[in-house]
Amino acid sequence: MPDATALPAEPATPDGVVRLTRAMAVGSLLAMIVLGLAWELWLAPTGNRTLALKVLPLAIPIAGLLKHRMYTYRWVSLLVWLYFTEGVVRATSDSGLSAVLAAIQVVLCLVLFTACALHVRWRFRRAAQVPPAA
């Protein structure tokens, strides 16, 4: 017997808001990975380039975002604040290209957070509108 309190499964064809927020989340996450690698390996490397490992946690949620896993959207919206904080600190303390790259990271973090928050909010709102299964 199905649990009536559980959220309904994502429909086979997600609506426009879900598709848009997923595209924004995945796009900004991939952009943050590319930016982090390019920043630490080629554009403005620091030290022995081990800071490039900071992008590894960003690779973990890609599959969950693509599969519309609500839990992934929720924890990514919390994870992104670590990168936001790093971007703000480096944008205000570094100079030159590194400060510009940090500012870009801050913008990407805000896009990712907004996309995840809207995605979760929209799906919860839609789930509340669906009548429970008999």
Side-chain angles (χ1 to χ4, degrees):
M1 175 171 223
D3 182 12
T5 61
L7 288 176
E10 186 67 28
T13 57
D15 65 16
V17 174
V18 171
R19 283 193 310 265
L20 175 65
T21 55
R22 183 177 79 165
M24 287 174 50
V26 171
S28 59
L29 185 67
L30 291 174
M32 285 179 61
I33 291 171
V34 170
L35 174 70
L37 289 174
W39 183 358
E40 299 301 341
L41 296 176
W42 298 288
L43 299 176
T46 56
N48 59 1
R49 301 176 188 217
T50 56
L51 278 178
L53 295 175
K54 72 181 181 187
V55 302
L56 285 179
L58 294 174
I60 296 169
I62 292 173
L65 293 180
L66 291 173
K67 293 178 182 178
H68 290 282
R69 292 194 176 141
M70 179 78 79
Y71 183 75
T72 305
Y73 283 90
R74 292 169 85 177
W75 70 261
V76 166
S77 69
L78 298 175
L79 173 71
V80 71
W81 292 111
L82 295 172
Y83 295 91
F84 176 84
T85 304
E86 181 210 15
V88 169
V89 169
R90 290 181 75 174
T92 57
S93 63
D94 289 357
S95 60
L97 181 60
S98 185
V100 172
L101 296 172
I104 293 170
Q105 178 172 317
V106 167
V107 170
L108 289 172
C109 287
L110 292 173
V111 170
L112 179 57
F113 175 77
T114 303
C116 288
L118 288 175
H119 186 90
V120 169
R121 184 175 182 176
W122 184 258
R123 283 188 52 196
F124 270 121
R125 184 177 291 158
R126 246 190 35 223
Q129 294 171 351
V130 174

